[in-house]
């Protein structure tokens, strides 16, 4: 933060930083022995919260630092209170810094950093400006694209001794498999960060288990969860996107080809959570009671909000896409045979005779789900030849009529009795609305791809791009209300929202 005197007499500026050391799902509370270490430095003040925590450098060169050591108690967070969560927090002030702003020193910069070597605040700011400019692209004249390119870089975590990863969202998501693979083409390939994309994809290979990629890495350990039917298929999609972007990387193809073969073999004989190919039609079934394996994964206690057990439409579009990718990586024509069989079954079972696009999923008893949801778009966007043109246009028209908003797509048609127009209230209220009408910005990627395939058109992004100056500034949030005025909510900076909009623009 930079402070400047813009006129008048000299003034004394005092900065009293309030800090916390906590899990991002918790509130800070005063505790004895916090911090474990603190003290003055040449340019400021150092604080180490616990023996295993990094050192926080508080920097204001030229200032006089004074030990504080007091707690600012019961700071109130209104949004947490709205959600029925713990809303009061105690914050610690380790020290205060005072500096005079006059004609000799008219501006100063305060910085808080975890850099190992204590830098000067000015160098931090200049470094970030240079870094942002390099990511934005010197020849990029479109302001929104420049902002999105810089935002894309913020989600990539890369450093000594850590696995290169994509953070799904700030401030409360970690690296989720599904989010990573959906976001990777937009965050890494669109921005020509090919080395980062390669590191991320190959970095996931050791975690392949029973033909499945992890859904998420828990906050407290590196033992991953595998409770997803689509993260693995999105991994294959991301590998295909990398291969297309960097066709000369033969070593990558050689490394990934056997991984794809293993993935398909496990899915053909069956893996966790009832995920496996139905031998009768070549389509992929998934799901067991009490589980939620697709991206529509909201669950409250034992209540699975959108179970979708059976054959979800986007899972099978991804499965056929996976078989196509395996052929491209291996040259094995047996995968093309599986593509042809699966595609024919897909058209027979998912195309609605009423012209309203595709069914959302086919239940284990063979009955189709009539809910109008955005998942059908992936049958057009991922595999353009899967559906006849007239059916593809029906899909896009149905989605446009029922689900389109200027900020993304609703997850359920407003005409459905289960539709929830607002994402609000306590945890139960919000989780049960999460995929029952709430708008998701990341779906604009599939919608744009599908609209281009069906009609050769690109939708209007002007309203969403104006959102860059709202909510999570210089980013795109996770979700919006289904009804106008489509109030933003959820995670303020969401990786796949930024990625998919950047990719299609």
């Amino acid at each position: 933060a930079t402070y400047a005197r813009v006129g008048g007499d000299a003034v004394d500026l005092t900065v009293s930083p309030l800090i916390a050391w906590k899990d991002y799902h918790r509130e800070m509370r005063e505790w004895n022995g916090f911090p474990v270490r603190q003290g003055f430095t040449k340019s400021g003040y150092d604080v180490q919260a616990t023996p295993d925590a990094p050192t926080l450098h508080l920097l204001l060169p030229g200032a006089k630092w004074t030990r504080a050591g007091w707690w600012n108690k019961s700071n109130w967070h209104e949004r947490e209170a709205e959600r029925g969560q713990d809303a009061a927090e105690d914050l610690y002030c380790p020290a205060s810094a005072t500096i005079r702003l006059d004609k000799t020193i008219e501006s100063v910069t305060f910085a808080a950093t975890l850099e190992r070597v204590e830098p000067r605040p000015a160098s931090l700011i200049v470094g970030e400006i240079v870094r942002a400019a390099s990511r934005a692209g010197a020849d990029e004249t479109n302001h929104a694209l420049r902002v999105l390119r810089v935002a894309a870089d913020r989600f990539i975590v890369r450093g000594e001794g850590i696995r290169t990863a994509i953070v799904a969202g700030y401030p409360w998501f970690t690296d989720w498999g599904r989010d990573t693979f959906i976001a990777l083409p937009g965050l890494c390939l669109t921005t020509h960060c090919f080395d980062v994309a390669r590191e991320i994809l190959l970095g996931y290979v050791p975690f392949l288990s029973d033909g499945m990629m992890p859904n998420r890495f828990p906050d407290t350990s590196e033992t991953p969860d595998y409770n997803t039917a689509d993260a693995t298929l999105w991994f294959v999609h991301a590998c295909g996107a990398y291969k297309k972007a960097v066709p000369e990387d033969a070593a990558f193809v050689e490394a990934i080809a056997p991984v794809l073969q293993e993935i398909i073999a496990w899915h053909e004989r069956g893996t966790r959570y009832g995920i496996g190919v139905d031998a009768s039609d070549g389509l992929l079934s998934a799901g067991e009671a009490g589980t939620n394996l697709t991206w529509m994964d909201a669950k409250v206690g034992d209540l699975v909000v959108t179970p979708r057990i059976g054959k979800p439409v986007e899972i099978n579009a991804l499965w056929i896409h996976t078989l196509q990718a395996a052929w491209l990586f291996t040259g094995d024509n047996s995968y093309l045979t599986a593509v042809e069989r699966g595609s024919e079954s897909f058209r027979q079972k998912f195309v609605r005779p009423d012209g309203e696009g595709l069914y959302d999923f086919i239940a284990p008893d063979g009955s189709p789900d009539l809910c109008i949801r955005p998942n059908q778009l992936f049958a057009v966007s991922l595999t353009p030849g899967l559906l006849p043109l007239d059916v593809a246009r029906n899909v896009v028209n149905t989605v446009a009529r029922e689900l389109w908003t200027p900020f993304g797509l609703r997850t359920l048609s407003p005409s459905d009795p289960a539709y929830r127009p607002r994402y609000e209230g306590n945890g139960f209220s919000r989780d049960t609305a999460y995929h029952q009408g709430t708008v998701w910005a990341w779906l604009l990627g599939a919608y744009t791809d599908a609209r281009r395939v069906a009609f050769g058109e690109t939708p209007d992004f002007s309203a969403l791009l104006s959102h860059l100056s709202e909510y999570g500034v210089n980013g795109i949030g996770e979700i919006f209300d289904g009804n106008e005025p489509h109030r933003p909510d959820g995670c303020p900076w969401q990786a796949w929202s930024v990625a998919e909009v950047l990719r299609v623009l």
Side-chain angles (χ1 to χ4, degrees), residues 44-103:
Y45 200 81
D46 278 0
V47 184
Q48 185 180 17
T50 62
D52 59 344
T55 296
L56 176 66
H57 304 295
L58 304 173
L59 307 172
L60 187 61
K64 179 181 178 181
W65 285 83
T66 305
R67 180 77 173 267
W70 48 267
W71 288 86
N72 196 58
K73 295 185 177 182
S74 300
N75 296 274
W76 189 252
H77 302 305
E78 291 185 4
R79 292 302 296 274
E80 300 299 292
E82 289 175 9
R83 298 177 175 198
Q85 297 174 337
D86 185 6
E89 180 166 54
D90 301 337
L91 299 174
Y92 180 73
C93 180
S96 295
T98 300
I99 190 168
R100 171 151 289 229
L101 298 182
D102 54 25
K103 291 182 179 180

Side-chain angles (χ1 to χ4, degrees), residues 79-210:
R79 292 302 296 274
E80 300 299 292
E82 289 175 9
R83 298 177 175 198
Q85 297 174 337
D86 185 6
E89 180 166 54
D90 301 337
L91 299 174
Y92 180 73
C93 180
S96 295
T98 300
I99 190 168
R100 171 151 289 229
L101 298 182
D102 54 25
K103 291 182 179 180
T104 304
I105 302 176
E106 293 188 323
S107 67
V108 292
T109 298
F110 169 82
T113 178
L114 297 177
E115 298 287 341
R116 292 184 178 180
V117 178
E118 181 182 305
R120 290 184 62 81
S123 67
L124 281 175
I125 292 177
V126 170
E128 282 301 300
I129 292 173
V130 171
R131 178 182 175 87
S134 67
R135 290 304 186 205
D139 59 347
E140 182 59 71
T141 58
N142 185 301
H143 173 70
L145 288 182
R146 288 179 63 87
V147 170
L148 289 173
R149 285 178 182 272
V150 173
D153 182 60
R154 307 302 191 206
F155 296 103
I156 298 170
V157 178
R158 195 184 192 195
E160 182 181 349
I162 64 172
R163 177 171 50 85
T164 302
I166 290 174
V167 174
Y170 294 110
W172 58 70
F173 283 117
T174 54
D175 55 328
W176 288 60
R178 175 192 294 120
D179 297 58
T180 292
F181 305 134
I182 290 173
L184 185 144
L187 299 186
C188 300
L189 303 182
T190 298
T191 57
H192 292 185
C193 296
F194 302 128
D195 56 336
V196 176
R198 193 181 200 275
E199 288 177 20
I200 291 171
L201 293 172
L202 294 180
Y204 263 87
V205 170
F207 293 99
L208 184 70
S209 171
D210 294 353

